């Protein structure tokens, strides 16, 4: 566990070398994710890159301290601008690349576009959201229907979260809030980016279309590399791990010179 200045605690785990020995990859999980939800990916990422890998569960997720409901429409910005910098401080991170999946990708983009943080040398975004598309909202509504129809979804989340009801409703209620959908637009944050991005999306993603990639290519002044994977859905790191690992290795060779952390 990693403690924040306000006394709250975040579940966290390291793989590979510590920040004093090598650069770090900081993993930001998806809307229903946690440390354990990453599965074998962090270990494979550390082995493939030689970097240390830090994953943490956001407040309300995994074994981290709770975050009271309801989560306000700006909760992703709060994570990116307030919690993440404190987490990096507490973990002793020196040089890093942020790697976010889905909501975590959005958090990484917000941080890179709004926080002056010399530690962050780039960001890898897996299936991120920059705007709320119709397909995005429809996917969230399908998740709500499945949650309400049976207990199977709760059973699948229970091994990964101290309070699966909090994790689900925090995410789902926020994304279905009309104020969130109407106000969520990360193009200004992308326009302010000063670090390179690698964005990987599956062509069969049920939460977003390739327009998400095009938005970043048009808006960001920094280098943006995009990779669209045919036949892959919303979790490229699970469905096409070798392609993701290869792309990440190539990206890191450009943005993280070798050397100690």
């Amino acid at each position: 566990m990693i403690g924040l200045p306000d006394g709250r605690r975040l579940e966290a785990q390291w793989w590979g070398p510590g920040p004093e020995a090598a650069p770090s990859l900081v993993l930001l999980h998806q809307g229903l994710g946690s440390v354990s939800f990453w599965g074998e990916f962090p270990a494979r990422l550390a082995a493939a890159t030689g970097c240390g890998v830090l994953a943490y569960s956001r407040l309300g997720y995994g074994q981290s301290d709770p975050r009271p409901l309801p989560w306000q429409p700006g909760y992703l910005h709060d994570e990116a601008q307030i919690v993440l910098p404190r987490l990096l401080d507490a973990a002793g991170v020196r040089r890093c690349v942020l790697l976010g999946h889905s909501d975590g990708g959005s958090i990484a983009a917000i941080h890179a576009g709004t926080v002056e943080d010399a530690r962050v040398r780039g960001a890898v975004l897996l299936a991120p959201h920059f705007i709320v598309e119709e397909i995005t909202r429809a996917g969230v509504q399908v998740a709500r229907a499945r949650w309400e129809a049976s207990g199977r979804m709760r059973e699948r989340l229970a091994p990964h979260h101290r309070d699966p009801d909090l994790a689900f409703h925090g995410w789902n209620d926020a994304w279905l809030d009309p104020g969130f959908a109407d106000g969520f637009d990360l193009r200004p944050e992308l326009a302010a980016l000063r670090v390179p991005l690698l964005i990987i999306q599956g062509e069969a993603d049920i939460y977003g279309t390739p327009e998400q990639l095009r938005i970043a290519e048009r808006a960001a002044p920094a280098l943006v590399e995009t990779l669209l994977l045919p036949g892959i859905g919303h979790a490229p790191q699970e469905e096409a791990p070798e392609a993701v690992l290869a792309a990440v290795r190539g990206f890191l060779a450009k943005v993280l010179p070798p050397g100690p952390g």
Side-chain angles (χ1 to χ4, degrees), residues 14 16-24 52-54 88 90-95 259-261:
W14 278 99
E20 72 288 342
S24 306
V53 176
L54 170 64
L88 298 179
V93 170
R94 300 181 182 182
R95 284 191 301 148

Side-chain angles (χ1 to χ4, degrees), residues 106-178:
S106 303
I107 291 167
I110 295 167
H111 181 89
T114 65
V115 179
E116 292 289 339
D117 193 336
R119 294 170 294 195
V120 177
R121 306 301 176 87
V124 177
L125 315 181
L126 308 177
H129 309 289
F130 303 126
I131 62 169
V132 179
E133 299 180 274
E134 286 300 321
I135 191 174
T136 314
R137 190 170 178 83
V140 177
Q141 289 171 329
V142 168
R144 170 67 66 89
R146 289 176 177 169
W147 177 268
E148 294 176 347
S150 74
R152 293 179 184 175
M153 192 172 183
R154 190 183 190 283
E155 290 173 1
R156 289 197 296 271
L157 292 179
H160 300 288
H161 301 287
R162 181 196 307 179
D163 188 340
D165 297 276
L166 172 61
F168 179 83
H169 283 290
W171 163 75
N172 196 266
D173 293 357
W175 276 83
L176 291 180
D177 184 329

Side-chain angles (χ1 to χ4, degrees), residues 81 89 229:
Q81 297 167 337
D89 290 343
L229 298 173

